[in-house]
Amino acid sequence: MTRTPIKSVKHFTNPVKPGETESSTDKQIATLFGGFFQGCILQFRKMRGVLLLLVTLMTSSPDVYNVSAFSSVPSRASIRDRSLRRNTCRSASRKPHSILSMKVPTPPPYPVRVTVMGGGNFGIALASVVAKRGVPTTLLVRSEEVAEHINENHRHPRYMSDIALPRTVRATANKTTALSDATYIIHAVPVQYTREYLATVKDDIPANVPILSASKGIETSSLGFMADILKECLGEDRSYAFLSGPSFAREICEGVATAVVIASEDIMLADDLAELMAGEDFAVFTSRDVIGVEVGGAVKNVIAIAAGMCEGLGLGTNAMSGLVTRGCGEMRRLGIYLGARPSTISGLSGVGDTFGTCFGPLSRNRQFGYRLGKGETPEEIRASMTEVAEGVDTSIALVKMIKKRCNGYRLDLKYPILFGVADIIEGNMRPLEGLKGLMNFPTRMENYDERF
């Protein structure tokens, strides 16, 4: 007996109507089932990330993830515990992540909160960067009036008041409120005021919470970099990172494309911070070379003062280009002596930041040098400035540090620009005299320390 094949389920419910051909019925069935299967595929795609996340959690160490860490308001104890777990994991065997966890971006196992210490231009800029990524951000300022103005108007009353801040930025003058539940803390206080500032907040900073420093320069009293100051004030039992690169605060707030580098001895911390802050308009690279980033961030401000003086004297592009290039050579020489990598000095935090500071119209250090070249005294310029030009104090501290830490013959011949800027700021020389001294330098190889 021959068996009639069933062509479709529709034969049982909707027989072929008169005048309707089999081919049109099959098309309707194909459309029906095609939509059904397409819906299934879309649902699978939506669930795939969740399924992979669950598999990742099941295959991960139970110490890494803690259900209690998903609470909306973590306590100081929970922050201390999870920071300790991260530090312990990073200082252990450092096994590579599984293939699954490397390919699937998983959310952090606890709510992330960032506090920015310092309500100046750069503190505002970094708070904006983090807040634009959807992270709750607290700006710790000095006065409650400023905090109230920011919270009500979403603008700083004094610094870049024409720029609106993201609504996820909240300001406060209460140290405990700002710091007690912070996952990461960004330090944006000028170097010369850092030690005094940290003494007032150190008891409110939870243990093991990492610090990202955005300050550049050398402390005049201790002749130390920011890494030295932070460890002396907050201890060596927490992780530190350092941000540098060509990054004017106003351009960051306006969303202009910016590239920076974050250096840390704990490269996993640097990677976490880079992932937290990076976006379409803010590229973040990482490095282990802390001393290289610190040297570049300090020396570039001194070179910018020299470049400003060159412009103030009206000496033209040739002179300024030669001056900045020779200044970068002194930066490289000092960095290598202190243990920096040449690639770091030639990167964003070294030559890159130097170019931005020397040629950018928003540079405070360049403007300070320009006014020196026009004949104003350092005291007159300082009295009229509303913000700190870090290179002024750094130039004097830098020369003292070189004399203390760098052994060798005729250091003034190895670092003539750095020594010359310090002499001019201290009143021992006038800008034009310093330039003539550079031009009358004895003839020798461009890079005498590479003559072999």
Side-chain angles (χ1 to χ4, degrees):
M1 181 176 67
T2 60
R3 200 172 184 181
T4 303
I6 298 176
K7 296 184 178 180
S8 67
V9 178
K10 191 172 181 179
H11 284 190
F12 288 97
T13 56
N14 297 318
V16 180
K17 296 179 181 180
E20 188 179 39
T21 61
E22 283 291 309
S23 60
S24 63
T25 303
D26 289 341
K27 290 180 181 179
Q28 293 179 8
I29 294 172
T31 303
L32 174 65
F33 280 89
F36 172 76
F37 286 119
Q38 186 177 11
C40 292
I41 292 172
L42 290 175
Q43 291 298 324
F44 172 75
R45 288 177 177 175
K46 291 180 179 179
M47 294 296 295
R48 179 176 58 181
V50 177
L51 294 174
L52 291 175
L53 173 60
L54 291 175
V55 173
T56 304
L57 293 174
M58 293 172 64
T59 57
S60 300
S61 170
D63 294 332
V64 177
Y65 298 96
N66 190 333
V67 177
S68 64
F70 285 88
S71 60
S72 58
V73 183
S75 64
R76 173 183 286 195
S78 65
I79 294 175
R80 184 185 301 111
D81 291 343
R82 67 174 176 256
S83 299
L84 181 60
R85 285 198 302 272
R86 189 194 66 238
N87 292 340
T88 303
C89 292
R90 290 174 178 174
S91 61
S93 58
R94 297 181 182 268
K95 295 181 180 180
H97 296 288
S98 65
I99 296 178
L100 189 60
S101 64
M102 290 175 63
K103 291 187 176 182
V104 181
T106 59
Y110 50 83
V112 174
R113 290 175 172 81
V114 174
T115 295
V116 179
M117 299 190 302
N121 279 342
F122 208 61
I124 294 171
L126 294 182
S128 299
V129 168
V130 177
K132 287 178 182 178
R133 310 298 178 256
V135 177
T137 306
T138 301
L139 187 63
L140 181 57
V141 296
R142 289 183 291 181
S143 70
E144 197 60 46
E145 291 77 13
V146 172
E148 291 177 0
H149 187 280
I150 293 174
N151 294 334
E152 292 176 3
N153 303 288
H154 305 289
R155 300 173 187 271
H156 196 287
R158 183 178 179 185
Y159 301 116
M160 297 187 294
S161 57
D162 58 318
I163 294 180
L165 302 176
R167 293 187 175 270
T168 47
V169 174
R170 303 297 295 175
T172 181
N174 189 308
K175 298 174 291 184
T176 303
T177 302
L179 299 169
S180 62
D181 65 345
T183 313
Y184 300 102
I185 295 175
I186 299 177
H187 178 88
V189 178
V191 173
Q192 308 306 330
Y193 304 97
T194 289
R195 191 178 296 273
E196 179 182 355
Y197 181 85
L198 291 178
T200 65
V201 300
K202 64 179 182 180
D203 294 334
D204 296 290
I205 299 178
N208 299 312
V209 171
I211 307 292
L212 171 62
S213 171
S215 305
K216 306 170 185 177
I218 300 175
E219 188 180 35
T220 56
S221 58
S222 67
L223 306 182
F225 290 100
M226 277 301 303
D228 305 313
I229 302 171
L230 289 173
K231 290 179 181 178
E232 290 175 7
C233 295
L234 301 179
E236 300 188 8
D237 295 333
R238 72 175 75 239
S239 295
Y240 299 98
F242 304 87
L243 182 147
S244 190
S247 49
F248 290 117
R250 175 169 288 275
E251 292 189 0
I252 293 175
C253 290
E254 292 175 347
V256 178
T258 302
V260 299
V261 60
I262 293 178
S264 177
E265 295 175 357
D266 185 348
I267 195 61
M268 295 181 72
L269 171 62
D271 290 340
D272 288 348
L273 291 170
E275 184 175 356
L276 176 72
M277 302 178 71
E280 293 182 355
D281 56 356
F282 198 76
V284 185
F285 299 87
T286 61
S287 171
R288 292 181 184 271
D289 188 7
V290 171
I291 186 61
V293 168
E294 291 250 71
V295 168
V299 176
K300 61 97 179 180
N301 286 331
V302 182
I303 300 174
I305 293 176
M309 286 189 286
C310 190
E311 183 179 4
L313 290 169
L315 299 178
T317 304
N318 289 349
M320 183 180 294
S321 300
L323 180 71
V324 172
T325 303
R326 296 298 298 169
C328 289
E330 294 182 23
M331 176 192 295
R332 178 189 59 81
R333 187 173 299 118
L334 177 62
I336 292 176
Y337 187 89
L338 296 178
R341 299 173 184 172
S343 58
T344 304
I345 301 300
S346 62
L348 288 170
S349 61
V351 173
D353 206 356
T354 302
F355 286 172
T357 310
C358 290
F359 301 110
L362 299 176
S363 170
R364 297 188 298 270
N365 294 284
R366 173 181 169 275
Q367 185 64 24
F368 191 98
Y370 177 84
R371 294 175 65 178
L372 280 176
K374 287 295 185 181
E376 296 185 59
T377 65
E379 292 74 19
E380 293 172 343
I381 301 172
R382 277 181 163 176
S384 63
M385 293 186 71
T386 58
E387 295 181 85
V388 177
E390 289 279 13
V392 179
D393 291 326
T394 296
S395 64
I396 299 173
L398 190 59
V399 169
K400 292 180 180 179
M401 187 203 69
I402 291 174
K403 292 179 178 179
K404 179 180 178 181
R405 300 177 61 175
C406 300
N407 299 319
Y409 176 70
R410 293 300 304 272
L411 294 175
D412 57 325
L413 297 180
K414 296 179 180 178
Y415 307 100
I417 296 175
L418 301 183
F419 276 64
V421 171
D423 281 339
I424 293 171
I425 290 177
E426 290 184 314
N428 301 326
M429 184 189 306
R430 297 185 63 82
L432 188 58
E433 295 173 353
L435 178 69
K436 288 182 178 179
L438 289 175
M439 295 303 296
N440 293 326
F441 237 53
T443 304
R444 60 181 180 183
M445 295 185 66
E446 181 181 10
N447 295 306
Y448 71 91
D449 49 351
E450 297 179 356
R451 63 185 181 275
F452 298 114

